[in-house]
Amino acid sequence: MPEKYKWHLLDIEEIFNILNTSRNGLKKEDVIVLQKKYGLNEIADKKQISPLKLFLSQFKNVLILILIAATGISLILGNIIDAIIIFIVVILCTTIGFLLEYRSEKAIKALIEISAPNATVLRDGTEVKIPVKEVVPGDILILHAGDKVAADARVIESYDLTIDESILTGESEPVKKDTITLKEDVLIAERTNMVYAGTIVLHGRGVGVVTDTSIWTEFGKIADMLSTDDVEDTPLKKRINQIGKKLSIAYIFIITVLFVIGVISRPSVNQIVALIIWSVSLAVAIVPETLPLIITGTLALGAQKMSKNKAIVRRLYAVETLGCITAICSDKTGTLTKNEMTVRKIYVDNQKINVTGTGYEPKGEFIDETGEKIDISQNNSLNMALTIATLCNDSKILYEDGNYRITGNPTDGALVVLAEKASLSKDILEGRYKRVGEIPFERERKRMTTIYHDTSSDKKFVFVKGAPEMLLSLTSFIYTDKDGKDFIKEMAPEDKDKILFISDQMATEALRVIAVAYRYIDNDNNKDETFIAEDIEKDLIFVGLFGMIDPPRDEVKDAIIQCKKAGIRPIMITGDHKLTAMAIAKELGMMEENDENKVLTGVDLEKMDEKDLEYLANDIVVYSRVLPIHKLKIIDALKKRGNIVAMTGDGINDAPALKKSDIGIAMNSGTDVAKEGSDMVLTDNNFATIVSAIKEGRTIYDNIRKYLVYIFSYGFSEVVILAASFFIGLFLFKEPLYPLMAIQILLANIVIEDLPALGLGVDPARPDIMRQRPRNPNEPILTKTAIGLLVVMIATISIGCTVIFFKYLQNLTKAQTMVFATFILYEMINAFICRSDKYSLAKIEFFSNKWLILGVIGSILLMLLVIQIHFIGQFFYMVPLSLMDWCTALLIALTIIITTEIFKAFSVRVRNTS
């Protein structure tokens, strides 16, 4: 970075000259040069692990180190072949661990990249949204309420711009920003003409020229010193770690006991060495030391898959929590609906007007109640209403690639499109009216106000738009058109009642209703005014109502049906009128015709205490006219009733609710603050995507459970087989018997675990996955049914392999080969059985998981290669088998189908009768 300037002491034009920029922003060719010069606007993680360090970290595993020690012991004793093979297995294990972790890290990094916040800047005079990391010094930064400031910048325009700088200064009081050049050097907290990276825009809007990026920002200097890469384990990973530790202790205890007994019974050097290698190898083979890593990788890859389906998971634990969701509290606009507002009805001066046209194309007609086309030029009331709606507005219409689109809020956009239908261009209006102030829309206020100077009449207007009941509470007069002239009369109670009645009528037709009003204020061009809402938003003149529709998304209806079948309650939370919300809810199938008692308004919530709301929480379907703060009360009530809650939000005031919910879901179109407080971001803002993500979350957890049953089935079976043969040999044959040699155990581990198991990790969703009740987050990973199936598998495999071993015991090498072959065949069949703990193999689509099939085929080919090719098999102490031997091994292995099918049929009958 060049010389550090005190930007707050410099004039704006001087800053433009230093940074070689202008109010129109940088040119594209300049941006490329600056990005090369200054780098990305991000703070690099000092502790980021390189691929080499990641690979070397695999050797920190205690059991891997023990295995390496066993390799050394083999070399000392002259068992070169054993040492080489064990070392190869060590390299394979660590390489696979590295690849899984590296892939997982890349997946997580990719998700962070996708969900990274954006910044709005001017480039070549055009507003563009870019990733924050692409911001460079000299960029013109556009700031709106809810934005997280992307870089340090000098303010060049401020419209009630208010910043929360507590993250930087520790001061909780918001700071109002201006453009005035400071005369003396002051502390950061007192630099009112600067905004800093990492701070949050609370109110208003502004424009700034970027002065510093990356580690040169004030926040970057601190973050550079305090950067850390600590990542908290997910709850699932913690539980898996606990299981792994308990199993490790159990396995090592068993192995130690066997080792001690073996040494006592046969205290020879060769026997001790053989026992050391066998014991250590068995421990490494059967203790799932990489299980937490594989679980994390599965969650990360699942999250990556979700991101392709437009649901970006920002925190891995969200994947497992998705399967527990019992209630989805969803905003209406844009999530349940298309967010393509179109004005359908207008009410001005006791006149009801219908409007034709669809979407954002500015084509349509204005029709009165008799069906006649209205001459807009002769209708002063309509013109005034359209003028207010257009100027109390930050949206614009753009025409690109043959299509019309709007910038900004869809409600605002619909009003600008409506004015264009009346040939009332926003550009022309803004040529006559100059904005001199504004009070931005806030959900609590339910209105937006702009102040304009009319250059043709030298008057100053206050234009207001918002919720009808809110505006009417501030209104004292009505605008009418009397004989072609403006006429303002005092508003009588019956006038207000009629307007509310018309508004309710529109709402019952699923129309969102916006009211517009205005007033004059004193014009003093020489006065630098600060506009205060309480002073100017009073004694307003009511002009009209606009009824617009945002149609429900077609796919949401099916998603609602899926939710109900899955035991998930969809709940609508909206700032819209109660009647509008009910109409949409009924159309989507969220509520029936006579479900009026399942609706609460913000006013109702204010009157209720916590216990009353908690009592009703599981019955309410729609919350209307609510404020962001009400979301916290709703979440509390639902949680107290035992719900696991997903909550959507997009505004800065939604962030507390997103954090408090079990799964906070932000909209991609929402504020950066909302995104950072969320667990998941929807790139399409669609409710149906939430339901798809829940299905994926359930499937991932289900697959992890399948994977656990699978690896435990052969891990426990190995212990039982080896322990049983050890004691039988020791006491009946006067020496320990080893059905599998150390390197055979290791080979079986590699062949069995890493191919079919990975296939189980990506098993397609069960057909009934969304017909099951949500999972209790406190339930064990392995259900009683899964444990029962596991016991049956272990018993079948252990008995079958033990029988095979003693049948062929006359030739120890062949017996061990037969045990190895039978064990592998058992587990290949087992991989398909583990796809469901209740459905018969006949009911599972065999070919629906190609990766499992390929994994099983790969494992079988490897087994045949090792056994049937003598040159390879001799290194693993195995001999080729005859066709009869293979048939025997296969017949024994097929017994697991019989035993598990009997168990599944029995467990289904028990469930049906209970």
Side-chain angles (χ1 to χ4, degrees):
M1 202 72 178
E3 180 186 350
K4 179 66 178 176
Y5 292 92
K6 294 182 178 180
W7 303 106
H8 53 288
L9 301 179
L10 301 179
D11 290 332
I12 293 170
E13 292 303 323
E14 189 178 353
I15 294 172
F16 284 158
N17 290 331
I18 293 170
L19 297 173
N20 195 26
T21 187
S22 70
R23 289 182 183 270
N24 289 326
L26 296 166
K27 295 178 181 179
K28 290 181 180 177
E29 54 268 27
D30 294 336
V31 172
I32 296 170
V33 174
L34 290 168
Q35 283 180 342
K36 288 181 180 178
K37 183 177 180 179
Y38 299 127
L40 296 176
N41 179 34
E42 61 184 4
I43 300 164
D45 185 359
K46 289 181 177 180
K47 299 183 180 180
Q48 189 173 5
I49 301 176
S50 67
L52 177 60
K53 286 184 178 179
L54 195 62
F55 177 73
L56 294 176
S57 70
Q58 306 303 314
F59 292 90
K60 292 180 181 178
N61 188 307
V62 175
L63 294 174
I64 291 292
L65 292 175
I66 294 173
L67 193 58
I68 292 172
T71 304
I73 293 170
S74 296
L75 283 172
I76 292 169
L77 296 174
N79 298 329
I80 306 298
I81 293 176
D82 281 14
I84 291 171
I85 292 173
I86 293 173
F87 184 72
I88 289 171
V89 170
V90 169
I91 295 299
L92 281 172
C93 286
T94 52
T95 301
I96 290 167
F98 162 74
L99 291 174
L100 282 169
E101 191 164 351
Y102 183 67
R103 192 177 178 191
S104 172
E105 289 289 328
K106 284 187 71 177
I108 295 168
K109 189 175 180 181
L111 292 178
I112 293 171
E113 287 284 324
I114 293 170
S115 62
N118 292 322
T120 304
V121 298
L122 278 178
R123 296 257 173 99
D124 287 328
T126 304
E127 275 192 29
V128 292
K129 245 185 182 179
I130 61 171
V132 164
K133 67 179 182 180
E134 294 180 11
V135 172
V136 294
D139 263 325
I140 301 300
L141 193 62
I142 312 296
L143 299 170
H144 295 96
D147 287 350
K148 190 172 185 180
V149 180
D152 290 3
R154 170 71 152 83
V155 180
I156 60 176
E157 291 181 31
S158 175
Y159 303 97
D160 195 33
L161 181 64
T162 307
I163 306 286
D164 176 5
E165 293 184 342
S166 57
I167 190 173
L168 190 62
T169 65
E171 298 292 336
S172 59
E173 191 69 24
V175 181
K176 282 206 170 187
K177 298 295 180 178
D178 54 46
T179 62
I180 301 170
T181 304
L182 300 179
K183 301 301 180 184
E184 59 182 32
D185 199 5
V186 291
L187 297 174
I188 290 174
E190 298 171 19
R191 296 174 190 172
T192 55
N193 61 1
M194 294 289 297
V195 292
Y196 293 100
T199 60
I200 296 164
V201 182
L202 293 180
H203 302 295
R205 62 186 180 89
V207 180
V209 55
V210 175
T211 55
D212 296 289
T213 58
S214 186
I215 58 170
W216 293 282
T217 63
E218 295 298 332
F219 183 75
K221 293 172 188 175
I222 299 170
D224 189 46
M225 292 185 288
L226 302 177
S227 60
T228 179
D229 61 350
D230 294 338
V231 179
E232 186 178 354
D233 285 344
T234 69
L236 176 61
K237 188 175 178 181
K238 288 178 181 177
R239 275 181 275 168
I240 294 293
N241 276 328
Q242 291 170 358
I243 290 174
K245 286 177 183 177
K246 289 176 181 178
L247 287 175
S248 298
I249 292 169
Y251 286 153
I252 291 170
F253 174 76
I254 293 169
I255 292 165
T256 302
V257 170
L258 295 177
F259 176 79
V260 171
I261 293 172
V263 170
I264 292 172
S265 62
R266 298 289 184 272
S268 67
V269 174
N270 288 337
Q271 179 69 12
I272 291 172
V273 170
L275 280 169
I276 290 173
I277 295 174
W278 178 78
S279 301
V280 171
S281 301
L282 178 61
V284 173
I286 60 182
V287 174
E289 70 278 351
T290 59
L291 185 57
L293 175 64
I294 291 171
I295 299 302
T296 302
T298 302
L299 291 172
L301 294 173
Q304 195 175 40
K305 182 179 177 182
M306 287 184 197
S307 73
K308 292 177 183 177
N309 294 323
K310 302 178 181 178
I312 301 169
V313 176
R314 300 185 71 251
R315 296 177 176 88
L316 276 188
Y317 70 77
V319 176
E320 58 187 275
T321 308
L322 281 167
C324 306
I325 295 298
T326 61
I328 306 174
C329 297
S330 172
D331 290 327
K332 178 183 74 68
T333 304
T335 307
L336 296 170
T337 59
K338 293 181 179 180
N339 206 18
E340 295 177 357
M341 303 296 288
T342 304
V343 177
R344 287 276 180 257
K345 294 183 181 292
I346 303 172
Y347 175 74
V348 290
D349 197 9
N350 288 312
Q351 222 182 345
K352 293 180 182 177
I353 302 170
N354 295 313
V355 186
T356 63
T358 58
Y360 296 133
E361 185 175 8
K363 289 183 180 179
E365 295 181 339
F366 296 77
I367 312 296
D368 66 18
E369 291 182 274
T370 65
E372 294 294 321
K373 184 177 176 181
I374 292 174
D375 183 357
I376 300 169
S377 64
Q378 300 301 313
N379 193 315
N380 289 353
S381 297
L382 180 56
N383 269 283
M384 176 56 82
L386 291 172
T387 298
I388 298 170
T390 307
L391 293 176
C392 190
N393 200 311
D394 289 322
S395 287
K396 293 181 180 179
I397 303 176
L398 299 178
Y399 183 73
E400 296 175 346
D401 302 324
N403 294 308
Y404 289 94
R405 70 177 183 87
I406 58 104
T407 63
N409 184 289
T411 300
D412 287 355
L415 294 170
V416 176
V417 170
L418 178 70
E420 289 280 357
K421 290 179 181 179
S423 300
L424 205 60
S425 167
K426 185 172 185 178
D427 290 337
I428 293 174
L429 285 173
E430 288 180 337
R432 172 183 168 183
Y433 294 89
K434 301 297 181 184
R435 187 182 291 195
V436 294
E438 67 177 81
I439 302 172
F441 174 83
E442 294 172 13
R443 291 190 184 185
E444 289 84 355
R445 290 165 26 85
K446 298 180 184 176
R447 62 188 181 275
M448 173 185 181
T449 298
T450 54
I451 301 92
Y452 279 88
H453 175 224
D454 181 0
T455 57
S456 65
S457 65
D458 203 31
K459 292 180 179 179
K460 195 170 282 185
F461 287 88
V462 175
F463 294 140
V464 189
K465 77 171 191 299
E469 64 270 29
M470 178 64 74
L471 241 64
L472 287 172
S473 68
L474 304 171
T475 301
S476 302
F477 307 96
I478 299 179
Y479 178 96
T480 63
D481 182 3
K482 192 172 184 179
D483 299 325
K485 294 182 180 179
D486 297 352
F487 181 75
I488 298 170
K489 70 169 188 174
E490 193 168 336
M491 179 175 283
E494 56 268 24
D495 294 324
K496 188 173 290 188
D497 291 341
K498 183 176 182 180
I499 293 167
L500 288 173
F501 175 75
I502 298 295
S503 174
D504 287 349
Q505 270 191 329
M506 289 184 178
T508 57
E509 299 173 38
L511 296 175
R512 183 178 186 183
V513 187
I514 300 293
V516 291
Y518 78 102
R519 65 169 291 198
Y520 302 104
I521 57 174
D522 293 335
N523 182 27
D524 186 349
N525 292 326
N526 298 318
K527 185 179 178 183
D528 184 17
E529 293 186 86
T530 300
F531 299 104
I532 300 171
E534 289 77 10
D535 294 340
I536 63 172
E537 293 177 342
K538 62 182 182 180
D539 296 329
L540 298 177
I541 304 165
F542 174 83
V543 180
L545 300 173
F546 296 99
M548 57 187 74
I549 190 165
D550 179 15
R553 292 177 181 267
D554 297 331
E555 62 274 22
V556 169
K557 294 180 183 179
D558 290 335
I560 297 290
I561 293 171
Q562 277 194 64
C563 279
K564 291 183 175 180
K565 288 181 179 178
I568 302 168
R569 292 179 53 241
I571 299 168
M572 179 193 295
I573 298 181
T574 178
D576 277 353
H577 194 283
K578 175 180 178 179
L579 297 174
T580 305
M582 287 174 60
I584 294 291
K586 288 174 183 177
E587 188 172 347
L588 288 172
M590 296 177 72
M591 60 187 296
E592 303 299 327
E593 284 297 327
N594 299 319
D595 283 346
E596 283 79 6
N597 60 330
K598 295 184 178 181
V599 182
L600 285 180
T601 66
V603 174
D604 297 330
L605 289 172
E606 289 292 341
K607 295 176 182 177
M608 282 185 178
D609 60 26
E610 291 180 4
K611 289 188 177 180
D612 289 338
L613 182 56
E614 183 183 336
Y615 177 76
L616 295 172
N618 278 351
D619 297 316
I620 303 303
V621 176
V622 173
Y623 294 89
S624 69
R625 281 289 190 251
V626 298
L627 302 174
I629 195 170
H630 291 146
K631 287 186 175 183
L632 291 171
K633 292 183 70 174
I634 295 167
I635 290 171
D636 275 335
L638 287 168
K639 281 189 168 186
K640 286 176 181 176
R641 291 297 298 271
N643 289 282
I644 307 297
V645 184
M647 174 72 77
T648 70
D650 55 10
I652 186 171
N653 293 326
D654 288 328
L658 293 177
K659 285 184 178 180
K660 189 158 191 175
S661 62
D662 297 286
I663 294 285
I665 304 170
M667 304 296 113
N668 196 44
S669 58
T671 62
D672 293 339
V673 177
K675 290 177 188 177
E676 293 207 355
S678 70
D679 304 295
M680 189 165 77
V681 178
L682 301 185
T683 60
D684 63 352
N685 299 1
N686 193 339
F687 179 87
T689 303
I690 302 173
V691 180
S692 296
I694 289 174
K695 181 180 179 181
E696 188 64 32
R698 287 186 175 194
T699 302
I700 290 169
Y701 195 90
D702 198 36
N703 288 344
I704 289 172
R705 183 176 282 161
K706 296 173 189 177
Y707 173 82
L708 289 174
V709 172
Y710 179 69
I711 66 167
F712 288 160
S713 72
Y714 68 74
F716 280 111
S717 295
E718 284 175 338
V719 172
V720 174
I721 294 166
L722 294 166
S725 300
F726 183 90
F727 282 111
I728 291 172
L730 194 63
F731 294 110
L732 295 183
F733 294 89
K734 304 304 180 185
E735 63 180 31
L737 296 175
Y738 305 112
L740 290 171
M741 300 289 287
I743 57 175
Q744 291 169 349
I745 295 169
L746 291 168
L747 179 64
N749 190 49
I750 297 296
V751 171
I752 293 169
E753 183 178 0
D754 293 330
L755 293 177
L758 292 175
L760 276 176
V762 293
D763 204 35
R766 289 183 285 113
D768 64 345
I769 195 80
M770 291 300 283
R771 293 197 295 271
Q772 304 294 316
R773 298 288 305 172
R775 175 175 54 83
N776 185 332
N778 297 319
E779 77 174 20
I781 299 174
L782 297 180
T783 62
K784 290 180 181 179
T785 305
I787 292 172
L789 181 64
L790 188 56
V791 169
V792 171
M793 288 175 170
I794 293 167
T796 306
I797 295 170
S798 301
I799 293 169
C801 286
T802 304
V803 169
I804 280 285
F805 179 64
F806 285 102
K807 175 178 169 53
Y808 286 85
L809 192 55
Q810 297 88 343
N811 183 337
L812 182 60
T813 304
K814 186 170 184 177
Q816 290 171 336
T817 306
M818 282 296 292
V819 170
F820 181 85
T822 307
F823 190 73
I824 297 283
L825 290 173
Y826 262 130
E827 289 303 329
M828 294 306 99
I829 298 169
N830 228 12
F832 292 97
I833 293 171
C834 286
R835 292 184 66 188
S836 175
D837 58 10
K838 68 176 182 178
Y839 287 124
S840 165
L841 273 177
K843 292 184 178 180
I844 301 172
E845 288 188 42
F846 184 82
F847 295 102
S848 61
N849 188 342
K850 65 177 181 180
W851 297 112
L852 178 59
I853 294 171
L854 290 173
V856 168
I857 291 172
S859 293
I860 290 173
L861 289 175
L862 283 171
M863 175 183 66
L864 292 172
L865 185 71
V866 172
I867 294 176
Q868 295 304 112
I869 298 177
H870 180 65
F871 175 76
I872 299 174
Q874 64 181 334
F875 296 110
F876 295 94
Y877 306 100
M878 284 189 273
V879 294
L881 299 178
S882 66
L883 180 61
M884 182 59 69
D885 294 332
W886 281 110
C887 288
T888 302
L890 181 60
L891 283 172
I892 293 292
L894 287 172
T895 58
I896 200 166
I897 297 177
I898 298 170
T899 56
T900 54
E901 290 292 293
I902 292 171
F903 170 80
K904 288 180 182 180
F906 175 76
S907 62
V908 168
R909 181 174 294 180
V910 170
R911 278 196 297 270
N912 290 338
T913 55
S914 61

